[in-house]
Amino acid sequence: MGIIKRFKDIMSANVNAMLEKCEDPEKMLDQYLRNAKNDLAAVTGQTAEVMAIATESMQKVEQAESSVAEYEKYIEASVKAGNDKDATAFIKKRDSMEFKLESLRKDEIEAKENSLKMIQMRRKLSDDIAALEAKRDAFKSRITVAQTRQVVANTMINTGVNANIENFDRVGQRVNRMMNKAD
């Protein structure tokens, strides 16, 4: 059992090492940023939906308030006309609408709160993306510097500048020995 686990760990480590060698940091940064922008688009759409629900809730409350006010007028007109039966029916309808209005107001408050939360979430995500873009640009600059340094180092190795310096130093040491010998 222990051998299989060790073999699995070794294979996993080798695969991860290969993936890291193949991974292009610039492309990965761009991909992470694309993912964040896709998330922003999704949050923007959801924010619009939640805001529409909040607007719809507000309109329902206004309609219910208007209905309650109309029933009040009907009740007053029925009482003035001496029609108690109609007045009682309108009072029942008004009471029912007031009960519904209370529920609609609660829904409206919740919808407004959800809308504000979604707007805040969208703003935060938008700000985070701006920060990520700045970081990406900084990282890309550092990647360019690192690649330039690597090119310089490879050029130094490939051109044998270090070997030539060592050869010069060896010749210099021989010349110094010759001078010392001659002295």
Side-chain angles (χ1 to χ4, degrees):
M1 206 56 164
I3 293 173
I4 294 173
K5 183 176 180 341
R6 279 188 65 202
F7 179 75
K8 185 178 172 184
D9 290 344
I10 291 169
M11 291 304 295
S12 178
N14 288 337
V15 168
N16 285 332
M18 286 174 47
L19 288 174
E20 284 180 15
K21 285 181 183 177
C22 294
E23 190 177 272
D24 181 356
E26 286 188 57
K27 289 180 183 176
M28 293 306 295
L29 290 171
D30 290 338
Q31 182 61 44
Y32 294 144
L33 196 56
R34 272 193 299 276
N35 291 347
K37 286 182 179 181
N38 289 341
D39 291 344
L40 177 63
V43 168
T44 299
Q46 292 169 351
T47 301
E49 287 178 28
V50 171
M51 290 174 69
I53 291 170
T55 301
E56 185 179 324
S57 294
M58 186 176 69
Q59 290 170 346
K60 286 180 180 179
V61 167
E62 289 173 358
Q63 289 172 352
E65 287 173 343
S66 175
S67 294
V68 168
E70 282 184 43
Y71 286 130
E72 286 292 332
K73 289 179 186 176
Y74 295 151
I75 293 168
E76 287 178 24
S78 296
V79 169
K80 285 183 184 177
N83 194 346
D84 292 338
K85 186 177 178 183
D86 286 345
T88 305
F90 288 131
I91 289 172
K92 286 181 183 179
K93 288 182 180 181
R94 181 202 62 197
D95 291 346
S96 172
M97 187 55 70
E98 283 179 340
F99 181 77
K100 183 178 178 181
L101 177 61
E102 206 169 304
S103 174
L104 289 173
R105 283 184 176 145
K106 289 177 185 176
D107 291 346
E108 178 189 25
I109 290 169
E110 188 173 332
K112 283 181 180 179
E113 288 173 357
N114 289 338
S115 178
L116 290 174
K117 287 177 186 176
M118 289 299 292
I119 289 169
Q120 289 172 347
M121 185 186 317
R122 187 192 173 290
R123 282 186 189 142
K124 183 183 180 328
L125 188 54
S126 182
D127 292 344
D128 289 348
I129 287 174
L132 287 176
E133 286 175 336
K135 279 185 178 180
R136 178 200 58 190
D137 293 342
F139 285 149
K140 281 189 173 187
S141 295
R142 291 178 68 192
I143 289 169
T144 303
V145 169
Q147 289 171 340
T148 304
R149 285 182 181 174
Q150 188 64 43
V151 167
V152 169
N154 289 341
T155 303
M156 294 282 286
I157 290 169
N158 292 337
T159 58
V161 170
N162 288 337
N164 288 333
I165 291 172
E166 290 173 11
N167 290 336
F168 265 75
D169 289 342
R170 260 196 316 262
V171 170
Q173 288 173 356
R174 280 184 19 207
V175 169
N176 285 338
R177 274 191 301 240
M178 288 173 59
M179 291 290 285
N180 289 336
K181 202 179 209 183
D183 287 340

